[in-house]
């Protein structure tokens, strides 16, 4: 490499760029996602005119706050090489539970912790099944999804309106900064992203998550707490689903059993587009945030185009495919080295 | 070995019989079959008829799972084949003619076959994990179906098409013969040729079977094609039952039911050995369970809770840890079953 740079003297910047990339292969997919996001925003601005405005960018966060939270939890699970299909249903269930409890007069400060506990309980069940009983994550979380979705209907078949001012305030309070605005839901979601990034990057638990995803056998031989970590990631995802349930309830001002059908797929798509490898061990939480934003921009553009809503899913599917193929190439290259 | 085989299929059959018995006790009319104009009617006949789409999908899923794969896109493929077939019929000038219906059915099934091959291509050639490869089509498939129908629920009136799922043939529902045909053809092809064994070998160890000269790529590719094809037929049956192409609801969650049926039948999700007979029993269990739950007056929406409990129980029963516990309780005998250790293998491209 050094010999090469000396002969190719006119282009030292390229070699520096290459040097920058060495050892940062894992950042490549994240960068790709950022590039896609920027391209989409620029294209949208060029095509629609008034696309990149503070208002739309703000609404991107406001409308997808729950998805950001779900994606953060999902990132933990996917980093260990697992998958959690239950998040959409758990989100609906915690929302439903909260709406029901609040309609009977239970105060919000009691209800909100209960939502998180309910989410954690689902995560715990799935995690225990995955680790201690060797059930495939896909099937275990599928059972969790069935269970949560069915329990929604046990709580109530009808939608329950939420009138609690504290919960509704999470969405209705708008903090304006010029043309920009944020709601408490966005602040919660972003704080969670910051916290989760810190956990993944700088705590023992977070580093173990990467180690387990990279090679579970090696992690175990190194004496890391594989069992605890593998169960905990599902609990984290469950708690995130509980928080998402709170945000989504605030967003729709009601609990409804059919809320969030297919959200698990959107979440997985966002995480993958954000550059987290499905085989585990590589990825960044910030990427998942970018992935959610890509998803949001696609949704907004399709509304702007006035096209059929079904195009959202098709576009997401195509993007997902493109990113998975790119990942595949990256992994193949890494293995060859 | 013989005992093991007996043991495997015995459990699902026992569960099915228990369910039937439970129904028969709680509602005597369950077992009664009435003959009207030489056609059979009754709860059991309904189960035979209504289980047909799930049967087709689950048979394909069994083969896919045997190769260590999974096909999530079957529900979306059902929506696509129904949309294609009904659009062709509603656009034609002679919706009632046999020729139009035949063309429509062939077109619908052919398209899902191609989509199945596409899944197979992604899995076997590109090397994407099956869950994700088929997730792409699961996401996009319903969108595609909606585009085909133009966002509407296409409805048609066509006697030959209605015959597919509502008609009768020598006393039995026509749909039953479709699923019977599929069972026979697949078990003949798989068990009377080496294909079944080759599929199992690919599922047990893809790399080893490749080195042994098995064309694993071709086999993996084709099982997804077969799964797509069967999902297409299932989509035709479904749309013929309601005489409408409902892109949003056709075959919704059927992939989960199909996986459940396969697992209930005793095929391990880890791939390898598979049993078609077990899957058939599994499908009947699920259909009977659904019918039971409806009868008990539980809102159909709560059905997932029961299914979840079944999944959990079955998965736990399959797991090594529980088996070890059970064998400890029983008088200790040397475990004859080869413990399938879940070895995580990286398959190189």
């Amino acid at each position: 490499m050094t010999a090469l740079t000396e002969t190719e003297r006119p282009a030292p910047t390229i070699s520096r760029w290459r040097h920058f990339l060495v050892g940062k292969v894992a950042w490549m997919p994240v960068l790709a996602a950022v590039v896609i996001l920027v391209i989409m925003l620029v294209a949208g601005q060029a095509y629609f005119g008034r696309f990149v405005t503070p208002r739309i960018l703000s609404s991107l966060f406001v409308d997808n706050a729950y998805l950001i939270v779900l994606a953060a939890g999902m990132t933990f699970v996917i980093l260990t090489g697992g998958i959690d299909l239950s998040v959409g249903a758990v989100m609906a269930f915690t929302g439903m539970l909260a709406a029901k409890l609040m309609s009977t007069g239970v105060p919000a400060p009691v209800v909100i912790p209960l939502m998180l506990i309910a989410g954690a309980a689902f995560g715990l069940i799935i995690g225990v099944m995955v680790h201690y009983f060797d059930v495939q994550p896909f099937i275990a979380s599928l059972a969790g999804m069935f269970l949560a979705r069915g329990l929604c209907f046990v709580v109530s078949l009808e939608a329950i309106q939420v009138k609690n001012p504290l919960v509704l305030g999470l969405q209705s309070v708008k903090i304006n900064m010029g043309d920009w605005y944020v709601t408490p839901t966005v602040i919660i979601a972003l704080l969670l992203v910051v916290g989760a990034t810190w956990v993944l990057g700088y705590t023992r638990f977070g580093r173990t998550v990467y180690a387990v995803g990279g090679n579970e056998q090696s992690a175990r031989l190194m004496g890391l707490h594989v069992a605890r970590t593998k169960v905990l990631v599902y609990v984290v995802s469950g708690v995130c689903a509980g928080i998402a349930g709170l945000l989504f309830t605030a967003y729709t001002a009601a609990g409804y059993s059919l809320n969030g059908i297919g959200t698990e797929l959107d979440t997985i798509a966002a995480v993958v587009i954000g550059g987290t490898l499905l085989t585990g061990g590589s990825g960044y939480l910030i990427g998942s945030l970018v992935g959610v934003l890509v998803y949001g921009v696609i949704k907004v553009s399709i509304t702007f185009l006035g096209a059929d809503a079904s195009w959202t899913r098709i576009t997401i599917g195509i993007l997902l495919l493109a990113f998975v193929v790119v990942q595949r190439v990256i992994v193949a290259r890494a293995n060859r080295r | 070995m013989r005992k093991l085989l007996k043991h495997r299929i015995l459990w699902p059959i026992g569960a099915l019989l228990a369910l039937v018995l439970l129904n028969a006790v709680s509602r005597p009319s369950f077992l009664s079959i009435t003959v009207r104009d030489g056609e059979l009617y009754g709860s059991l006949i309904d189960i035979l008829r209504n289980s047909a789409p799930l049967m087709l999908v689950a048979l394909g899923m069994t083969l896919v799972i045997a190769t260590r794969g999974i096909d999530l896109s079957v529900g979306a493929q059902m929506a696509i084949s129904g949309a294609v077939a009904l659009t062709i019929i509603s656009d034609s000038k002679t919706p009632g003619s046999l020729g139009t219906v035949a063309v429509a059915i062939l077109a619908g099934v052919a398209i899902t076959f191609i989509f199945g091959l596409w899944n197979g291509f992604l899995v076997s050639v590109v090397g994407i994990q099956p869950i994700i490869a088929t997730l792409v089509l699961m996401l996009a498939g319903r969108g595609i179906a909606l585009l085909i129908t133009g966002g509407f629920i296409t409805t048609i009136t066509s006697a030959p098409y209605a015959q597919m799922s509502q008609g009768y043939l020598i006393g039995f529902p026509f749909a039953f013969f479709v699923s019977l045909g599929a069972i026979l053809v697949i078990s003949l092809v798989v068990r009377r040729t080496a294909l079944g064994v080759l599929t199992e070998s690919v599922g047990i160890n893809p790399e080893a079977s490749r080195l042994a000269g098995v064309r694993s790529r071709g086999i993996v590719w084709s099982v997804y094609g077969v799964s797509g094809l069967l999902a297409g037929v299932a989509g035709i049956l479904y749309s013929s039952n309601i005489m409408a192409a409902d892109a949003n609801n056709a075959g919704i969650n059927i992939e989960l039911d199909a996986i459940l049926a396969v697992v209930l039948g005793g095929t391990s999700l880890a791939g390898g050995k598979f049993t078609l007979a077990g899957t058939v029993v599994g499908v009947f269990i699920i259909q009977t369970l659904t019918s039971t739950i409806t009868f008990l007056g539980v809102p159909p929406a709560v059905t997932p809770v029961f299914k979840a409990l079944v999944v959990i129980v079955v998965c736990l029963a399959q797991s090594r840890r529980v088996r070890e516990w059970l064998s400890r309780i029983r008088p200790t005998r040397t475990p004859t079953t080869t413990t399938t250790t879940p070895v995580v293998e990286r398959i190189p491209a």
Side-chain angles (χ1 to χ4, degrees):
Chain A
M1 192 64 95
T2 45
L4 221 129
T5 48
E6 271 168 31
T7 48
E8 287 177 13
R9 205 151 258 277
T13 46
I14 291 176
S15 76
R16 197 180 298 156
W17 177 237
R18 269 204 198 146
H19 185 74
F20 170 74
L21 283 181
V22 170
K24 295 195 174 72
V25 184
W27 277 104
M28 284 291 290
V30 180
L31 276 176
V34 172
V35 169
I36 291 259
L37 181 64
V38 170
I39 289 175
M40 279 178 16
L41 285 175
V42 169
Q45 176 67 23
Y47 190 80
F48 302 117
R50 299 172 44 78
F51 195 69
V52 185
T53 61
R55 192 149 196 90
I56 287 178
L57 291 183
S58 303
S59 73
L60 216 54
F61 283 91
V62 172
D63 292 340
N64 294 304
Y66 71 97
L67 204 57
I68 293 174
V69 174
L70 287 180
M74 184 71 83
T75 310
F76 279 81
V77 175
I78 292 185
L79 277 176
T80 63
I83 204 149
D84 189 353
L85 295 180
S86 72
V87 289
V90 172
M91 178 180 88
F93 172 69
T94 52
M96 209 53 194
L97 188 71
K100 179 83 179 175
L101 285 177
M102 283 189 284
S103 71
T104 56
V106 182
V110 179
V111 170
I112 292 171
L114 270 180
M115 293 174 82
L116 304 191
I117 291 170
F122 274 104
L124 187 66
I125 295 173
I126 295 169
V128 166
M129 277 174 76
V130 168
H131 187 76
Y132 288 100
F133 295 101
D134 278 336
V135 182
Q136 287 191 354
F138 172 74
I139 298 297
S141 58
L142 192 67
M145 169 181 155
F146 270 155
L147 195 63
R149 189 63 74 186
L151 286 177
C152 280
F153 291 103
V154 173
V155 173
S156 166
L157 290 172
E158 324 266 294
I160 306 171
Q161 215 189 342
V162 174
K163 292 179 188 126
N164 189 300
L166 184 67
V167 172
L168 292 184
L170 288 177
Q171 183 69 32
S172 56
V173 174
K174 284 203 172 102
I175 305 156
N176 288 299
M177 288 171 289
D179 281 339
W180 296 79
Y181 69 96
V182 288
T183 56
T185 51
V186 177
I187 296 173
I188 293 174
L190 292 183
L191 279 181
L192 194 122
V193 167
V194 171
T197 309
W198 176 74
V199 168
L200 271 182
Y202 301 101
T203 64
R204 193 169 289 184
F205 168 64
R207 301 321 296 175
T208 312
V209 167
Y210 279 100
V212 170
N215 191 332
E216 194 179 327
Q217 199 72 26
S218 307
R220 188 173 291 128
L221 292 177
M222 280 164 71
L224 298 173
H225 295 286
V226 173
R228 198 171 68 191
T229 310
K230 268 180 84 182
V231 175
L232 256 182
V233 289
Y234 289 95
V235 175
V236 167
S237 176
V239 171
C240 283
I243 299 173
L246 175 66
L247 302 190
F248 200 75
T249 310
Y251 185 62
T252 57
Y256 184 42
S257 299
L258 293 176
N259 274 346
I261 284 187
T263 308
E264 56 280 348
L265 304 180
D266 295 338
T267 313
I268 295 169
V271 172
V272 172
I273 289 172
T276 303
L277 287 195
L278 279 158
T279 41
S282 171
Y284 296 95
L285 218 135
I286 199 77
S288 302
L289 176 63
V290 177
V292 173
L293 293 180
V294 169
Y295 170 85
V297 171
I298 290 175
K299 228 160 97 176
V300 173
S301 326
I302 280 162
T303 323
F304 262 61
L305 281 171
D308 211 78
S310 52
W311 277 105
T312 313
R313 281 287 168 84
I314 297 181
T315 321
I316 292 280
I318 293 168
L319 256 189
L320 181 65
L321 179 66
F323 271 78
V324 171
V325 172
V326 168
Q327 284 191 4
R328 180 71 207 154
V329 172
I330 290 172
V331 171
R333 273 197 178 173
N335 283 349
R336 216 174 292 156
R337 211 166 278 157
Chain B
M1 190 64 205
R2 203 173 197 189
K3 230 171 193 172
L4 196 92
L5 250 175
K6 236 178 165 180
H7 180 80
R8 273 210 156 174
I9 192 86
L10 213 65
W11 275 99
I13 289 184
L16 180 60
L17 286 182
L19 259 180
V20 171
L21 205 68
L22 181 82
N23 273 291
V25 171
S26 56
R27 52 170 165 162
S29 67
F30 181 74
L31 288 177
S32 75
I33 293 170
T34 52
V35 183
R36 221 179 299 149
D37 304 332
E39 294 170 354
L40 299 172
Y41 289 91
S43 303
L44 290 179
I45 301 296
D46 280 345
I47 289 176
L48 283 189
R49 187 219 321 271
N50 295 338
S51 65
L54 181 59
M55 183 71 79
L56 295 169
V57 170
L59 286 173
M61 190 70 82
T62 311
L63 298 181
V64 172
I65 286 180
T67 65
R68 271 197 194 175
I70 204 140
D71 190 350
L72 296 182
S73 66
V74 284
Q77 298 203 30
M78 276 178 69
I80 293 175
S81 81
V84 168
L86 262 69
T87 308
I88 289 177
I89 292 179
S90 77
D91 285 352
S92 82
K93 290 179 191 102
T94 52
S97 85
L98 213 57
T100 314
V101 171
V103 167
I105 292 174
L106 280 181
V109 174
I111 283 192
T112 55
F113 181 56
I114 292 168
F115 275 120
L117 290 180
W118 160 255
N119 280 336
F121 169 77
L122 289 183
V123 173
S124 64
V125 180
V126 186
I128 301 174
Q129 289 153 289
I131 291 187
I132 301 307
T134 53
L135 179 69
V136 171
L137 192 54
M138 184 190 186
L139 274 172
R142 285 193 192 279
I144 295 171
L146 272 172
L147 287 184
I148 293 172
T149 61
F152 298 107
I153 297 178
T154 314
T155 53
I156 55 158
T157 43
S158 164
Y161 198 75
Q163 170 76 14
M164 284 289 292
S165 97
Q166 299 166 21
Y168 277 81
L169 192 71
I170 31 176
F172 282 96
F174 186 76
F176 169 63
F177 288 100
V178 175
S179 63
L180 196 66
I183 296 170
L184 285 181
V185 168
I186 290 180
S187 32
L188 277 181
V189 169
V190 165
R191 289 306 181 199
R192 289 290 152 203
T193 68
L195 262 180
V197 180
L198 296 182
T199 311
E200 288 183 347
S201 81
V202 169
I204 292 166
N205 192 333
E207 188 56 21
S209 42
R210 194 184 63 79
L211 292 175
V214 179
R215 299 193 169 205
S216 52
R217 179 175 284 184
I219 288 179
V220 171
W221 199 333
S222 53
V223 291
Y224 285 93
V226 170
S227 172
L229 187 119
L230 288 170
V233 181
I236 302 283
L237 284 182
Y238 180 88
S239 61
S240 131
N241 195 22
I242 58 172
M243 288 309 270
D246 188 350
N248 280 320
N249 293 317
I252 196 120
N253 285 343
I254 200 167
E255 56 278 348
L256 309 180
D257 278 352
I259 294 166
L260 184 53
V262 173
V263 176
L264 277 177
T267 302
S268 161
L269 279 167
K273 289 192 81 64
F274 66 94
T275 149
L276 290 172
T279 301
V280 172
V281 176
V283 168
F284 284 134
I285 292 179
I286 290 177
Q287 200 62 47
T288 315
L289 187 70
T290 313
S291 141
T292 313
I293 292 166
T294 323
F295 168 73
L296 290 176
V298 180
V302 186
T303 320
V305 174
F306 292 90
K307 285 186 184 158
L309 295 179
V310 174
V311 176
I312 292 174
V313 168
V314 169
C315 284
L316 292 192
Q318 272 194 357
S319 81
R320 207 151 37 105
R321 202 172 279 253
V322 172
R323 288 212 167 154
E324 276 167 14
W325 287 345
L326 285 179
S327 63
R328 230 175 278 157
I329 295 166
R330 280 190 213 145
T332 43
R333 268 175 47 194
T334 45
T336 46
T337 44
T338 47
T339 43
T340 45
T341 35
V343 189
V344 183
E345 279 168 53
R346 293 277 157 90
I347 306 151

